[in-house]
Amino acid sequence: MSRQSQTEVAVLGALSVQPMSGYAVRQAIAETLGHFWSESFGQIYPTLARLEAEGFVTPDSAGRTSGSTYRLTAAGRRRLAALLREPIPSTPPRNGTLLRLFFGAQLGPEACAEVVREARDRALASLATMTAIRAEVERDPDRNAAYWLVTVSAGEHAARAQLAWAQESLTTLADLTR
Amino acid sequence: MSRQSQTEVAVLGALSVQPMSGYAVRQAIAETLGHFWSESFGQIYPTLARLEAEGFVTPDSAGRTSGSTYRLTAAGRRRLAALLREPIPSTPPRNGTLLRLFFGAQLGPEACAEVVREARDRALASLATMTAIRAEVERDPDRNAAYWLVTVSAGEHAARAQLAWAQESLTTLADLTR
DNA sequence: GTCATCATGTAAACCGTTACATGATTGT
DNA sequence: ACAATCATGTAACGGTTTACATGATGAC
């Protein structure tokens, strides 16, 4: 019962959308969940093997010679629902940008401004990605579309907040230089 | 030259504010950097020992029998400045809340709403903490105050964005129930 | 035929948390 | 005396990334 890792949730979840190979799971996680989740190769394959041994997923090789697609079993779908209902393990915060700015006096206003500009640019890029994903989901709605848009919206809000903060902070830092 | 871990930055940074013991470093990180950084015991003590061996910090036991305070050496201050100037290692995103909501169809609108309400409550608590820290910094300004307020502002922006998102998403999810 | 991409896996290294263990100091 | 807190460390474990290794498939 002591599930610590969320990898299982991500893998089962990916397969709940549609059956796919381990390689495709990794791609799906990188591309679709990329803005709020990440998994590496080294996690996905062992997890898939374990899930298969436990009967939560099953190979579904419909006439392939190499590679196989996996799909959720009924037990796997129940497992996913159960995992989703468990309390969310909180990941400790680790924000390298803020860590640097907190000790900004050791760095000076100009170097700090550069750090902030980089954060702003990341937020801009993120906002563009969000817009693209939103357009794609709205153009081609899946049965999950409403939920996906909730996560996209979270990304949009976060990115816009970061933009506003960056703008404000650049002003503050500029005042420190004078 | 291959510094991967940011623990060293956090520890040197804490000591740059004022000399203190390892125990106090851990407290300072938990209390002051807590909203954007975390370190555990098991990291701090070995890091301090290594930094001492490398000559970046030095014990400064002014008449103590047990425990010792550490302070930065000149080399340590340079080391901190150098580390702060290095590119920020990006931590892969891991947002358990969004991971759940993305697969929300497996969970249903009501359970998702509960997840969102928990996120909203965390944001509210965070906003209260930010306000308290801001008040404290403004009441008793340190030479680092301007930089600290930049990080507090980041927390405030992020928390307010999360509140707005939660509000919006609760409406969306309520519409799914009908 | 060769290149890009699909596909699967393992091993080592690294990072970080947790639990355990121990003892000093200070306030009541 | 006793409790709370200060203080320091280590060992084991678990999770994650990275690098390495290998080969099939399909497009050109």
Side-chain angles (χ1 to χ4, degrees), chain B residues 41-69:
Chain B
F41 263 167
Q43 296 275 97
I44 291 172
Y45 282 112
T47 299
L48 265 175
R50 193 161 42 74
L51 288 172
E52 187 185 347
E54 293 171 332
F56 295 132
V57 308
T58 182
D60 187 26
S61 41
R64 287 281 169 63
T65 43
S66 121
S68 55
T69 65

PDB file of all heavy atoms in Angstrom, chain B residues 41-69:
ATOM      1  N   PHE B  41      18.266  17.570   6.908  1.00  0.00           N
ATOM      2  CA  PHE B  41      19.418  17.289   7.748  1.00  0.00           C
ATOM      3  C   PHE B  41      20.515  16.533   7.025  1.00  0.00           C
ATOM      4  O   PHE B  41      21.678  16.934   7.030  1.00  0.00           O
ATOM      5  CB  PHE B  41      18.960  16.430   8.912  1.00  0.00           C
ATOM      6  CG  PHE B  41      18.693  17.224  10.135  1.00  0.00           C
ATOM      7  CD1 PHE B  41      18.012  16.660  11.197  1.00  0.00           C
ATOM      8  CD2 PHE B  41      19.124  18.532  10.242  1.00  0.00           C
ATOM      9  CE1 PHE B  41      17.772  17.383  12.329  1.00  0.00           C
ATOM     10  CE2 PHE B  41      18.873  19.265  11.380  1.00  0.00           C
ATOM     11  CZ  PHE B  41      18.201  18.674  12.427  1.00  0.00           C
ATOM     12  N   GLY B  42      20.092  15.420   6.432  1.00  0.00           N
ATOM     13  CA  GLY B  42      21.044  14.502   5.832  1.00  0.00           C
ATOM     14  C   GLY B  42      21.886  15.138   4.746  1.00  0.00           C
ATOM     15  O   GLY B  42      22.912  14.595   4.341  1.00  0.00           O
ATOM     16  N   GLN B  43      21.445  16.299   4.246  1.00  0.00           N
ATOM     17  CA  GLN B  43      22.222  17.016   3.240  1.00  0.00           C
ATOM     18  C   GLN B  43      23.111  18.071   3.896  1.00  0.00           C
ATOM     19  O   GLN B  43      24.253  18.281   3.489  1.00  0.00           O
ATOM     20  CB  GLN B  43      21.277  17.746   2.269  1.00  0.00           C
ATOM     21  CG  GLN B  43      20.403  16.844   1.454  1.00  0.00           C
ATOM     22  CD  GLN B  43      21.090  16.366   0.219  1.00  0.00           C
ATOM     23  OE1 GLN B  43      21.629  15.265   0.201  1.00  0.00           O
ATOM     24  NE2 GLN B  43      21.091  17.167  -0.810  1.00  0.00           N
ATOM     25  N   ILE B  44      22.566  18.743   4.870  1.00  0.00           N
ATOM     26  CA  ILE B  44      23.233  19.936   5.390  1.00  0.00           C
ATOM     27  C   ILE B  44      24.535  19.600   6.102  1.00  0.00           C
ATOM     28  O   ILE B  44      25.574  20.225   5.842  1.00  0.00           O
ATOM     29  CB  ILE B  44      22.279  20.710   6.319  1.00  0.00           C
ATOM     30  CG1 ILE B  44      21.153  21.318   5.473  1.00  0.00           C
ATOM     31  CG2 ILE B  44      23.012  21.777   7.092  1.00  0.00           C
ATOM     32  CD1 ILE B  44      20.056  21.949   6.280  1.00  0.00           C
ATOM     33  N   TYR B  45      24.519  18.587   6.967  1.00  0.00           N
ATOM     34  CA  TYR B  45      25.730  18.312   7.743  1.00  0.00           C
ATOM     35  C   TYR B  45      26.891  17.826   6.873  1.00  0.00           C
ATOM     36  O   TYR B  45      28.002  18.358   6.992  1.00  0.00           O
ATOM     37  CB  TYR B  45      25.429  17.344   8.886  1.00  0.00           C
ATOM     38  CG  TYR B  45      24.756  18.043  10.041  1.00  0.00           C
ATOM     39  CD1 TYR B  45      23.441  17.789  10.376  1.00  0.00           C
ATOM     40  CD2 TYR B  45      25.446  19.004  10.767  1.00  0.00           C
ATOM     41  CE1 TYR B  45      22.836  18.446  11.429  1.00  0.00           C
ATOM     42  CE2 TYR B  45      24.844  19.676  11.818  1.00  0.00           C
ATOM     43  CZ  TYR B  45      23.536  19.386  12.150  1.00  0.00           C
ATOM     44  OH  TYR B  45      22.941  20.044  13.178  1.00  0.00           O
ATOM     45  N   PRO B  46      26.656  16.863   6.007  1.00  0.00           N
ATOM     46  CA  PRO B  46      27.778  16.462   5.135  1.00  0.00           C
ATOM     47  C   PRO B  46      28.275  17.626   4.278  1.00  0.00           C
ATOM     48  O   PRO B  46      29.485  17.772   4.073  1.00  0.00           O
ATOM     49  CB  PRO B  46      27.167  15.368   4.257  1.00  0.00           C
ATOM     50  CG  PRO B  46      26.026  14.836   5.046  1.00  0.00           C
ATOM     51  CD  PRO B  46      25.498  15.978   5.835  1.00  0.00           C
ATOM     52  N   THR B  47      27.352  18.458   3.806  1.00  0.00           N
ATOM     53  CA  THR B  47      27.764  19.598   2.980  1.00  0.00           C
ATOM     54  C   THR B  47      28.626  20.557   3.784  1.00  0.00           C
ATOM     55  O   THR B  47      29.667  21.031   3.311  1.00  0.00           O
ATOM     56  CB  THR B  47      26.523  20.330   2.437  1.00  0.00           C
ATOM     57  OG1 THR B  47      25.767  19.417   1.635  1.00  0.00           O
ATOM     58  CG2 THR B  47      26.930  21.517   1.584  1.00  0.00           C
ATOM     59  N   LEU B  48      28.206  20.844   5.015  1.00  0.00           N
ATOM     60  CA  LEU B  48      29.009  21.720   5.872  1.00  0.00           C
ATOM     61  C   LEU B  48      30.406  21.144   6.096  1.00  0.00           C
ATOM     62  O   LEU B  48      31.404  21.871   6.008  1.00  0.00           O
ATOM     63  CB  LEU B  48      28.312  21.902   7.220  1.00  0.00           C
ATOM     64  CG  LEU B  48      27.425  23.130   7.376  1.00  0.00           C
ATOM     65  CD1 LEU B  48      26.727  23.107   8.715  1.00  0.00           C
ATOM     66  CD2 LEU B  48      28.235  24.412   7.214  1.00  0.00           C
ATOM     67  N   ALA B  49      30.461  19.838   6.351  1.00  0.00           N
ATOM     68  CA  ALA B  49      31.765  19.208   6.587  1.00  0.00           C
ATOM     69  C   ALA B  49      32.654  19.345   5.359  1.00  0.00           C
ATOM     70  O   ALA B  49      33.844  19.657   5.465  1.00  0.00           O
ATOM     71  CB  ALA B  49      31.559  17.728   6.936  1.00  0.00           C
ATOM     72  N   ARG B  50      32.057  19.139   4.192  1.00  0.00           N
ATOM     73  CA  ARG B  50      32.835  19.237   2.967  1.00  0.00           C
ATOM     74  C   ARG B  50      33.297  20.680   2.733  1.00  0.00           C
ATOM     75  O   ARG B  50      34.452  20.930   2.377  1.00  0.00           O
ATOM     76  CB  ARG B  50      31.994  18.737   1.789  1.00  0.00           C
ATOM     77  CG  ARG B  50      32.767  18.490   0.523  1.00  0.00           C
ATOM     78  CD  ARG B  50      32.010  17.579  -0.420  1.00  0.00           C
ATOM     79  NE  ARG B  50      30.607  17.886  -0.498  1.00  0.00           N
ATOM     80  CZ  ARG B  50      30.097  18.936  -1.141  1.00  0.00           C
ATOM     81  NH1 ARG B  50      30.887  19.783  -1.755  1.00  0.00           N
ATOM     82  NH2 ARG B  50      28.797  19.146  -1.169  1.00  0.00           N
ATOM     83  N   LEU B  51      32.384  21.613   2.954  1.00  0.00           N
ATOM     84  CA  LEU B  51      32.736  23.017   2.749  1.00  0.00           C
ATOM     85  C   LEU B  51      33.868  23.432   3.691  1.00  0.00           C
ATOM     86  O   LEU B  51      34.739  24.223   3.308  1.00  0.00           O
ATOM     87  CB  LEU B  51      31.509  23.910   2.983  1.00  0.00           C
ATOM     88  CG  LEU B  51      30.438  23.840   1.903  1.00  0.00           C
ATOM     89  CD1 LEU B  51      29.189  24.600   2.336  1.00  0.00           C
ATOM     90  CD2 LEU B  51      30.959  24.408   0.590  1.00  0.00           C
ATOM     91  N   GLU B  52      33.853  22.866   4.905  1.00  0.00           N
ATOM     92  CA  GLU B  52      34.921  23.194   5.837  1.00  0.00           C
ATOM     93  C   GLU B  52      36.249  22.616   5.332  1.00  0.00           C
ATOM     94  O   GLU B  52      37.272  23.300   5.331  1.00  0.00           O
ATOM     95  CB  GLU B  52      34.601  22.653   7.231  1.00  0.00           C
ATOM     96  CG  GLU B  52      35.616  23.126   8.257  1.00  0.00           C
ATOM     97  CD  GLU B  52      35.382  22.492   9.621  1.00  0.00           C
ATOM     98  OE1 GLU B  52      34.304  21.890   9.822  1.00  0.00           O
ATOM     99  OE2 GLU B  52      36.283  22.591  10.474  1.00  0.00           O
ATOM    100  N   ALA B  53      36.201  21.359   4.873  1.00  0.00           N
ATOM    101  CA  ALA B  53      37.415  20.718   4.354  1.00  0.00           C
ATOM    102  C   ALA B  53      37.972  21.491   3.168  1.00  0.00           C
ATOM    103  O   ALA B  53      39.180  21.542   2.954  1.00  0.00           O
ATOM    104  CB  ALA B  53      37.111  19.270   3.954  1.00  0.00           C
ATOM    105  N   GLU B  54      37.089  22.108   2.391  1.00  0.00           N
ATOM    106  CA  GLU B  54      37.529  22.833   1.206  1.00  0.00           C
ATOM    107  C   GLU B  54      37.892  24.289   1.515  1.00  0.00           C
ATOM    108  O   GLU B  54      38.256  25.047   0.621  1.00  0.00           O
ATOM    109  CB  GLU B  54      36.446  22.781   0.120  1.00  0.00           C
ATOM    110  CG  GLU B  54      36.238  21.374  -0.438  1.00  0.00           C
ATOM    111  CD  GLU B  54      35.017  21.274  -1.353  1.00  0.00           C
ATOM    112  OE1 GLU B  54      34.065  22.054  -1.177  1.00  0.00           O
ATOM    113  OE2 GLU B  54      35.019  20.413  -2.239  1.00  0.00           O
ATOM    114  N   GLY B  55      37.705  24.668   2.792  1.00  0.00           N
ATOM    115  CA  GLY B  55      38.118  26.000   3.192  1.00  0.00           C
ATOM    116  C   GLY B  55      37.139  27.115   2.862  1.00  0.00           C
ATOM    117  O   GLY B  55      37.499  28.290   2.869  1.00  0.00           O
ATOM    118  N   PHE B  56      35.893  26.747   2.598  1.00  0.00           N
ATOM    119  CA  PHE B  56      34.912  27.776   2.260  1.00  0.00           C
ATOM    120  C   PHE B  56      34.168  28.287   3.494  1.00  0.00           C
ATOM    121  O   PHE B  56      33.620  29.379   3.486  1.00  0.00           O
ATOM    122  CB  PHE B  56      33.913  27.242   1.229  1.00  0.00           C
ATOM    123  CG  PHE B  56      34.548  26.913  -0.092  1.00  0.00           C
ATOM    124  CD1 PHE B  56      34.301  25.708  -0.726  1.00  0.00           C
ATOM    125  CD2 PHE B  56      35.395  27.828  -0.706  1.00  0.00           C
ATOM    126  CE1 PHE B  56      34.902  25.407  -1.947  1.00  0.00           C
ATOM    127  CE2 PHE B  56      35.988  27.539  -1.923  1.00  0.00           C
ATOM    128  CZ  PHE B  56      35.741  26.327  -2.538  1.00  0.00           C
ATOM    129  N   VAL B  57      34.125  27.453   4.513  1.00  0.00           N
ATOM    130  CA  VAL B  57      33.565  27.904   5.791  1.00  0.00           C
ATOM    131  C   VAL B  57      34.533  27.500   6.889  1.00  0.00           C
ATOM    132  O   VAL B  57      35.361  26.593   6.711  1.00  0.00           O
ATOM    133  CB  VAL B  57      32.174  27.289   6.083  1.00  0.00           C
ATOM    134  CG1 VAL B  57      31.223  27.504   4.913  1.00  0.00           C
ATOM    135  CG2 VAL B  57      32.280  25.814   6.413  1.00  0.00           C
ATOM    136  N   THR B  58      34.421  28.165   8.022  1.00  0.00           N
ATOM    137  CA  THR B  58      35.324  27.854   9.122  1.00  0.00           C
ATOM    138  C   THR B  58      34.555  27.948  10.439  1.00  0.00           C
ATOM    139  O   THR B  58      33.693  28.814  10.586  1.00  0.00           O
ATOM    140  CB  THR B  58      36.541  28.796   9.107  1.00  0.00           C
ATOM    141  OG1 THR B  58      37.422  28.445  10.151  1.00  0.00           O
ATOM    142  CG2 THR B  58      36.114  30.240   9.270  1.00  0.00           C
ATOM    143  N   PRO B  59      34.835  27.011  11.368  1.00  0.00           N
ATOM    144  CA  PRO B  59      34.124  27.061  12.656  1.00  0.00           C
ATOM    145  C   PRO B  59      34.546  28.324  13.394  1.00  0.00           C
ATOM    146  O   PRO B  59      35.697  28.758  13.304  1.00  0.00           O
ATOM    147  CB  PRO B  59      34.624  25.814  13.391  1.00  0.00           C
ATOM    148  CG  PRO B  59      35.391  25.013  12.410  1.00  0.00           C
ATOM    149  CD  PRO B  59      35.827  25.935  11.333  1.00  0.00           C
ATOM    150  N   ASP B  60      33.621  28.852  14.123  1.00  0.00           N
ATOM    151  CA  ASP B  60      33.820  30.159  14.736  1.00  0.00           C
ATOM    152  C   ASP B  60      33.304  30.054  16.157  1.00  0.00           C
ATOM    153  O   ASP B  60      32.453  30.801  16.592  1.00  0.00           O
ATOM    154  CB  ASP B  60      33.019  31.182  13.917  1.00  0.00           C
ATOM    155  CG  ASP B  60      33.293  32.592  14.360  1.00  0.00           C
ATOM    156  OD1 ASP B  60      34.372  32.844  14.905  1.00  0.00           O
ATOM    157  OD2 ASP B  60      32.398  33.438  14.167  1.00  0.00           O
ATOM    158  N   SER B  61      33.853  29.038  16.906  1.00  0.00           N
ATOM    159  CA  SER B  61      33.272  28.711  18.211  1.00  0.00           C
ATOM    160  C   SER B  61      33.728  29.702  19.263  1.00  0.00           C
ATOM    161  O   SER B  61      34.722  29.502  19.939  1.00  0.00           O
ATOM    162  CB  SER B  61      33.639  27.285  18.603  1.00  0.00           C
ATOM    163  OG  SER B  61      34.990  27.031  18.255  1.00  0.00           O
ATOM    164  N   ALA B  62      32.983  30.772  19.375  1.00  0.00           N
ATOM    165  CA  ALA B  62      33.319  31.823  20.319  1.00  0.00           C
ATOM    166  C   ALA B  62      32.848  31.419  21.716  1.00  0.00           C
ATOM    167  O   ALA B  62      31.798  31.856  22.199  1.00  0.00           O
ATOM    168  CB  ALA B  62      32.679  33.148  19.889  1.00  0.00           C
ATOM    169  N   GLY B  63      33.638  30.547  22.351  1.00  0.00           N
ATOM    170  CA  GLY B  63      33.359  30.209  23.735  1.00  0.00           C
ATOM    171  C   GLY B  63      32.203  29.268  23.972  1.00  0.00           C
ATOM    172  O   GLY B  63      31.590  29.270  25.024  1.00  0.00           O
ATOM    173  N   ARG B  64      31.886  28.436  22.976  1.00  0.00           N
ATOM    174  CA  ARG B  64      30.840  27.439  23.181  1.00  0.00           C
ATOM    175  C   ARG B  64      31.470  26.123  23.635  1.00  0.00           C
ATOM    176  O   ARG B  64      32.590  25.801  23.238  1.00  0.00           O
ATOM    177  CB  ARG B  64      30.073  27.199  21.898  1.00  0.00           C
ATOM    178  CG  ARG B  64      29.161  28.324  21.531  1.00  0.00           C
ATOM    179  CD  ARG B  64      27.865  28.269  22.362  1.00  0.00           C
ATOM    180  NE  ARG B  64      27.109  29.510  22.174  1.00  0.00           N
ATOM    181  CZ  ARG B  64      26.624  29.879  21.004  1.00  0.00           C
ATOM    182  NH1 ARG B  64      26.821  29.148  19.953  1.00  0.00           N
ATOM    183  NH2 ARG B  64      25.947  30.994  20.901  1.00  0.00           N
ATOM    184  N   THR B  65      30.754  25.372  24.422  1.00  0.00           N
ATOM    185  CA  THR B  65      31.232  24.037  24.757  1.00  0.00           C
ATOM    186  C   THR B  65      30.704  23.019  23.758  1.00  0.00           C
ATOM    187  O   THR B  65      31.435  22.173  23.281  1.00  0.00           O
ATOM    188  CB  THR B  65      30.800  23.639  26.177  1.00  0.00           C
ATOM    189  OG1 THR B  65      29.436  24.041  26.352  1.00  0.00           O
ATOM    190  CG2 THR B  65      31.659  24.303  27.193  1.00  0.00           C
ATOM    191  N   SER B  66      29.420  23.110  23.456  1.00  0.00           N
ATOM    192  CA  SER B  66      28.874  22.187  22.469  1.00  0.00           C
ATOM    193  C   SER B  66      28.363  22.969  21.277  1.00  0.00           C
ATOM    194  O   SER B  66      27.894  24.091  21.423  1.00  0.00           O
ATOM    195  CB  SER B  66      27.739  21.359  23.074  1.00  0.00           C
ATOM    196  OG  SER B  66      26.538  21.534  22.363  1.00  0.00           O
ATOM    197  N   GLY B  67      28.468  22.368  20.116  1.00  0.00           N
ATOM    198  CA  GLY B  67      28.014  23.044  18.910  1.00  0.00           C
ATOM    199  C   GLY B  67      28.977  24.139  18.540  1.00  0.00           C
ATOM    200  O   GLY B  67      29.772  24.609  19.340  1.00  0.00           O
ATOM    201  N   SER B  68      28.933  24.501  17.262  1.00  0.00           N
ATOM    202  CA  SER B  68      29.824  25.554  16.830  1.00  0.00           C
ATOM    203  C   SER B  68      29.121  26.341  15.749  1.00  0.00           C
ATOM    204  O   SER B  68      28.291  25.807  15.014  1.00  0.00           O
ATOM    205  CB  SER B  68      31.116  24.949  16.274  1.00  0.00           C
ATOM    206  OG  SER B  68      30.799  24.044  15.250  1.00  0.00           O
ATOM    207  N   THR B  69      29.421  27.623  15.689  1.00  0.00           N
ATOM    208  CA  THR B  69      28.883  28.403  14.584  1.00  0.00           C
ATOM    209  C   THR B  69      29.914  28.413  13.469  1.00  0.00           C
ATOM    210  O   THR B  69      31.117  28.384  13.718  1.00  0.00           O
ATOM    211  CB  THR B  69      28.573  29.844  15.035  1.00  0.00           C
ATOM    212  OG1 THR B  69      29.799  30.470  15.389  1.00  0.00           O
ATOM    213  CG2 THR B  69      27.635  29.862  16.221  1.00  0.00           C
TER     214      THR B  69
END
